[in-house]
Amino acid sequence: MDFEQLQKQVDFIHEIDKVKYIQRKTRLFNSDRTENDAEHSWHLALMALVLSGHSNEAIDLFKVIKMLLIHDLVEIDAGDIFLYDTATSHTNTIAELAAARRIFGLLPQNQAEELILIWEEFEAGETAESKFARAMDRFEPLLQNRSNNGGTWKEFNVPYDKVIEKKGIIKKGSDFIWKYAKKLIDNSLEEGMLKR
Amino acid sequence: MDFEQLQKQVDFIHEIDKVKYIQRKTRLFNSDRTENDAEHSWHLALMALVLSGHSNEAIDLFKVIKMLLIHDLVEIDAGDIFLYDTATSHTNTIAELAAARRIFGLLPQNQAEELILIWEEFEAGETAESKFARAMDRFEPLLQNRSNNGGTWKEFNVPYDKVIEKKGIIKKGSDFIWKYAKKLIDNSLEEGMLKR
């Protein structure tokens, strides 16, 4: 019995456990506890599952869910970067590409290549699937901040215009969800969770 | 703009955050920290993604992944039951069905019905998809216990025969993964991680 391929897959399964230790800045709903990348990825996958009907374009939902399940694996090596961090670039850095090659590279070659392509597609944000996946990634922390009386907006003094700018990416995936999100952001301003 | 459907979906998204607080008995790989149900569900979904080629039967992988993402939502109301708990039944209890109806019932009706059916299919374990999904659910804690020098087997004095009996369900989803898993269990006996 030749377990060579399976052993590579098990090594990958073991390695990605580290995602559970990567803490985001955002906190769980109505909570003081920060969310980790594994919890975040699971939640986004389920959000895509129930919200896909609101996508601007027809999408391959399974591909969206694959993207969301793997999108933060590179942070095992490259770390989490806060959305409102102005010093560090959010673009596809050299460190993240090296991380993708190392981590997905644990898998048999055909699987590694497939997942690297999906991750690159997510990062580029140009296809219908990646636009919708990225909309989910921006929508979840907005809901969390709303439930935490402002959350990271208050904690890091993020002004209204910056939130609108960063969350506007939701519109590329779903005009409809963006209308709802914009209303939440405007309500947050009125209620003092968010400042000008 | 009518947000009634979307609001129901957002209410569901908010509710399922509670899965992140449900602690399993099993601990993360090489770790003292217990795993929560959200982390567990994310890990199983990724395991299915990379291991599906070893399934005994042709499977709709997207359906398997949906099953794994939602399979523990009922524990929000019904709680986690330890695999080796002999007092409490692991079968589809009345409490779990009520939980499924309440939690999925937050969604618009057509989505609620679809997800309850998928959850029931997973619980019944009769289709090719549910057999493979359930194999993933048994395989992950085996790998975790191996990495934790016996983990819950040692902690709760679970004997070899009981582990073989409970993990044998892996064979229904994949003979190949079962051969590998059986070897790990036998090695664990030889190495003293597991007792007769």
Side-chain angles (χ1 to χ4, degrees), chain B residues 153-171:
Chain B
W153 300 332
K154 268 195 181 169
E155 191 175 350
F156 299 97
N157 295 310
V158 184
Y160 174 86
D161 287 347
K162 181 61 77 179
V163 173
I164 291 288
E165 176 201 328
K166 292 288 187 183
K167 297 299 173 186
I169 212 166
I170 292 171
K171 190 171 162 55

Side-chain angles (χ1 to χ4, degrees), chain A residues 1-3 5-7 9-10 12-14 16-17 19-21 23 28-33 35-43 45-47 49-54 61-62 65-66 68-70 73 107 111 114-115 139-140 143-144 147 176-177 179-181 183, chain B residues 1-3 5-7 9-10 12-14 16-17 19-21 23 28-33 35-43 45-47 49-54 61-62 65-66 68-70 73 107 111 114-115 139-140 143-144 147 176-177 179-181 183:
Chain A
M1 189 63 57
D2 181 5
F3 290 129
Q5 297 280 93
L6 178 53
Q7 188 56 54
Q9 291 156 339
V10 168
F12 173 79
I13 288 163
H14 193 133
I16 65 174
D17 197 67
V19 166
K20 298 169 190 169
Y21 295 95
Q23 297 297 321
L28 302 186
F29 286 77
N30 303 318
S31 175
D32 285 335
R33 171 155 91 69
E35 183 177 48
N36 69 53
D37 273 350
E39 297 168 328
H40 167 64
S41 301
W42 168 80
H43 216 145
L46 269 179
M47 287 174 65
L49 188 64
V50 302
L51 297 177
S52 64
H54 305 300
L61 177 58
F62 187 23
I65 287 178
K66 286 184 197 175
L68 292 170
L69 290 172
I70 66 166
L73 290 186
L107 288 165
Q111 290 190 314
E114 186 204 339
L115 294 182
F139 190 38
E140 189 218 25
L143 296 174
Q144 289 167 324
S147 80
F176 187 69
I177 296 175
K179 287 198 179 79
Y180 177 90
K183 195 159 154 261
Chain B
M1 189 64 55
D2 180 6
F3 291 129
Q5 297 280 93
L6 178 53
Q7 188 57 53
Q9 291 157 337
V10 167
F12 173 80
I13 289 162
H14 193 133
I16 66 173
D17 197 66
V19 167
K20 299 169 190 169
Y21 296 94
Q23 298 296 321
L28 303 185
F29 286 79
N30 303 317
S31 176
D32 285 335
R33 171 156 91 69
E35 184 177 47
N36 69 53
D37 274 351
E39 297 168 328
H40 167 65
S41 300
W42 169 80
H43 216 147
L46 270 180
M47 286 174 65
L49 188 65
V50 302
L51 297 177
S52 65
H54 304 300
L61 178 57
F62 186 24
I65 287 178
K66 286 184 197 173
L68 292 170
L69 290 172
I70 66 167
L73 290 186
L107 288 166
Q111 290 191 315
E114 187 205 338
L115 293 183
F139 190 38
E140 189 218 25
L143 296 174
Q144 289 167 324
S147 81
F176 187 69
I177 296 174
K179 286 197 178 81
Y180 178 89
K183 195 161 155 259

Side-chain angles (χ1 to χ4, degrees), chain B residues 18-19 21-27 34-38 40-41 71-85 88-90 93 96 137 141 152 156:
Chain B
K18 294 175 184 168
V19 167
Y21 296 94
I22 304 170
Q23 298 296 321
R24 293 165 50 78
K25 290 279 183 286
T26 316
R27 293 164 199 277
T34 54
E35 184 177 47
N36 69 53
D37 274 351
H40 167 65
S41 300
H71 81 290
D72 275 343
L73 290 186
V74 295
E75 296 190 357
I76 290 172
D77 290 350
D80 180 52
I81 296 169
F82 184 44
L83 181 65
Y84 302 104
D85 182 341
T88 314
S89 169
H90 283 274
T93 63
E96 284 189 341
D137 198 24
T152 57
F156 299 97

